[in-house]
Amino acid sequence: MGLLERCQELFNSSNLYEVLGINKEASEADIRKSYYKVSLKVHPDRAPEDPQATEKFQVLGKLYAVLSDKDQRAVYDEQGVVDEESDVLSQDRCWEEYWRLLFPKITVQDILEFEKKYKGSEEEREDVIRLYVQHEGDLDAITASALCSSQEDEPRLCSIIQAAIKSGEVEAFPAFTKESATKKRARRKRADRERQEAEEMKTEMGLGDDDESLVMMLKQKQQSREKNFNSFLSDLEAKYSKKSPKPQKGKKAKK
């Protein structure tokens, strides 16, 4: 079975760009960042509950190898085919090792420095607006997906959204403008519970107050916000990682 057929089987799309959640005009940096985010979700070590995780991870590696190669990407864009016989798509390649070469680990200090620069930046504003539109004003989803955010940041995130609505940049979704008091209370209770559990973890790990941000991130990874923590890391690692190794050119294209 070819790469496009395997994408259809595993990701319900044979379009390589759609699998990564990007469009055909995406830059190399966008492709790299999206590949990391999607592959992180199915990394065998991070998705043990998914019996197809390993296969999905391998397919994504091949997909990225195609789109990160200028010549192969051009052929795919023009003809809708990939080179199944190229060394890039060889079955004996270790895709996890390839992944690690692309995305070396970052340090806790990198995370904390990014958080400091990110909060209040134009990048954060753009991300919040994008999440607002994507989730049609659902604050539960927005706050769970926003980078470097906690319950204390909700008023700030709301002010960003309110300013965008007032300026006409985005529409006023009822889920945001008419959110019920019950839903707000439930979100606060959930945040309080996570904060308490993080405090308990901090005590167990023997960490001081300066490590609070790290503990909160560890807690998010461990609990239901794991996907969003991984998304946070993916944005960071995409910023700090090395350039991708150049795959070898293929020989002939096949459907």
Side-chain angles (χ1 to χ4, degrees):
M1 186 180 294
L3 176 61
L4 301 184
E5 288 80 8
R6 295 181 75 192
C7 285
Q8 179 64 49
E9 179 182 42
L10 296 170
F11 300 100
N12 298 315
S13 177
S14 61
N15 184 305
L16 303 188
Y17 294 106
E18 288 184 0
V19 172
L20 295 185
I22 54 179
N23 56 43
K24 189 176 180 180
E25 290 71 36
S27 65
E28 291 182 13
D30 289 335
I31 293 174
R32 180 188 183 85
K33 185 175 180 179
S34 296
Y35 163 60
Y36 186 86
K37 286 184 176 181
V38 178
S39 63
L40 196 62
K41 295 176 184 178
V42 298
H43 191 290
D45 292 339
R46 299 183 182 232
E49 73 287 348
D50 186 351
Q52 294 183 310
T54 298
E55 186 178 4
K56 289 178 180 177
F57 185 78
Q58 293 172 345
V59 168
L60 287 172
K62 294 181 178 183
L63 181 158
Y64 178 72
V66 170
L67 294 185
S68 63
D69 182 274
K70 183 177 180 180
D71 294 334
Q72 292 199 49
R73 182 182 179 184
V75 171
Y76 175 72
D77 287 349
E78 294 172 7
Q79 304 177 28
V81 297
V82 297
D83 184 359
E84 300 288 352
E85 295 184 2
S86 70
D87 293 334
V88 166
L89 301 182
S90 61
Q91 295 296 322
D92 57 353
R93 186 169 191 172
C94 180
W95 294 103
E96 185 167 355
E97 184 177 314
Y98 174 69
W99 188 80
R100 275 301 172 196
L101 287 174
L102 290 172
F103 305 107
K105 292 182 178 179
I106 60 174
T107 66
V108 171
Q109 189 59 37
D110 288 332
I111 295 175
L112 299 179
E113 288 180 1
F114 175 83
E115 180 179 359
K116 184 178 180 180
K117 294 178 181 178
Y118 180 78
K119 285 188 174 183
S121 68
E122 177 61 21
E123 181 180 4
E124 181 190 42
R125 192 194 80 83
E126 292 176 353
D127 286 346
V128 171
I129 297 305
R130 175 180 54 79
L131 289 171
Y132 170 76
V133 173
Q134 178 183 341
H135 297 296
E136 298 185 345
D138 184 347
L139 266 177
D140 280 352
I142 294 170
T143 55
S145 302
L147 301 183
C148 309
S149 70
S150 63
Q151 177 64 29
E152 288 73 21
D153 294 296
E154 185 173 319
R156 183 170 55 83
L157 300 184
C158 287
S159 67
I160 292 174
I161 295 170
Q162 289 164 349
I165 293 174
K166 185 176 181 180
S167 68
E169 182 179 356
V170 295
E171 66 177 284
F173 291 111
F176 177 79
T177 59
K178 298 180 181 180
E179 184 182 43
S180 69
T182 300
K183 190 174 181 181
K184 291 179 181 179
R185 284 196 298 270
R187 186 164 57 251
R188 283 197 295 270
K189 287 182 179 179
R190 186 164 58 248
D192 290 340
R193 184 171 62 252
E194 288 181 357
R195 187 181 298 106
Q196 178 60 37
E197 290 171 346
E199 285 295 329
E200 293 174 359
M201 176 181 286
K202 184 169 67 174
T203 301
E204 291 175 3
M205 294 175 68
L207 299 176
D209 291 337
D210 291 340
D211 301 299
E212 184 175 355
S213 295
L214 173 59
V215 174
M216 287 301 294
M217 283 185 280
L218 288 172
K219 185 59 188 174
Q220 290 170 3
K221 179 175 184 290
Q222 197 175 48
Q223 299 296 328
S224 61
R225 298 177 71 182
E226 179 173 359
K227 179 178 69 174
N228 304 311
F229 178 87
N230 288 340
S231 178
F232 172 41
L233 290 184
S234 73
D235 283 346
L236 286 174
E237 295 199 20
K239 290 176 182 292
Y240 288 101
S241 58
K242 304 173 183 177
K243 290 186 176 181
S244 28
K246 288 291 183 183
Q248 299 181 32
K249 303 294 186 294
K251 298 177 183 179
K252 58 181 181 179
K254 289 187 176 180
K255 289 282 186 182

